[in-house]
Amino acid sequence: MSFLNTGRAWSPAGFDTYLRTLKRPKWVRGITIHHTAEPSLQMRPHGHTAQLIENIRYGYVHDKGWSSGPHLFPDDTGHIWGMTPLTEPGTHARSFNATHIGIEVLGDYDSEDPKAGRGLNAWLTAASAVRSLQKWLGLPKTAFNFHRDDPKTTKTCPGKKVTHEWFLKLIDEAATLTHPPTPRCAGWPAR
């Protein structure tokens, strides 16, 4: 396990291209959705940066002793940031680490609004990433769960304001978009 994708970023279209370069992992059975909580949208007014993702990785290694982390960190600027390679199991939810790709959506959706503004932008980017992963892996669109579905946690993650039904509709919407959300921070490298 590793952090080899730390700081890499893709646009939704670039992410699809990237997936075509990878061998499909046999261990993946689904996708687990999280929210970062900290940082929240308010704390990151311009989305993620490579340095922030590196700081998160540093905390996982030095504070938690982890040898991997979540796989992806979509934000409201239309970028999908990487951390743990998609071909390796990550660390993100005790019951799902060995079988699910972990995605951390920027924001705190116990208090921030996932259905409007920057929150919606972050969730549209996440839905696009999930849709791409499901297509690449040959998974049904229902092959996702939330961190709070882990029987070994009491967390509300990915936030009380996010429901399975709403996110499933967003995945459907991502499949019909003719173009992904436009990044608002065009200066960040999106591969």
Side-chain angles (χ1 to χ4, degrees), residues 44-186:
R44 300 300 308 165
H46 304 291
H48 290 312
T49 64
Q51 184 61 57
L52 173 68
I53 299 299
E54 172 57 29
N55 293 350
I56 293 170
R57 182 210 62 82
Y58 183 90
Y60 289 156
V61 170
H62 297 283
D63 297 341
K64 297 183 181 225
W66 293 0
S67 60
S68 65
H71 297 87
L72 301 172
F73 290 76
D75 69 14
D76 63 310
T77 69
H79 290 95
I80 302 163
W81 292 85
M83 183 173 284
T84 297
L86 296 165
T87 54
E88 301 175 11
T91 305
H92 54 89
R94 203 173 291 220
S95 295
F96 307 124
N97 288 335
T99 58
H100 286 61
I101 288 175
I103 297 180
E104 293 269 353
V105 182
L106 175 62
D108 178 351
Y109 299 101
D110 283 332
S111 60
E112 294 176 313
D113 187 358
K115 298 178 182 175
R118 294 182 61 217
L120 181 58
N121 286 346
W123 281 96
L124 281 170
T125 304
S128 176
V130 168
R131 178 75 178 127
S132 294
L133 286 167
Q134 289 172 335
K135 185 176 176 184
W136 174 61
L137 294 164
L139 297 172
K141 68 181 180 182
T142 56
F144 73 89
N145 61 16
F146 293 160
H147 186 184
R148 67 177 174 245
D149 298 326
D150 184 340
K152 297 178 181 175
T153 191
T154 59
K155 295 181 181 259
T156 61
C157 183
K160 295 173 187 172
K161 296 183 178 189
V162 177
T163 67
H164 290 86
E165 297 78 19
W166 175 77
F167 189 59
L168 190 58
K169 287 178 186 175
L170 216 57
I171 293 169
D172 285 340
E173 185 176 328
T176 63
L177 288 175
T178 56
H179 52 65
T182 303
R184 290 187 299 187
C185 295

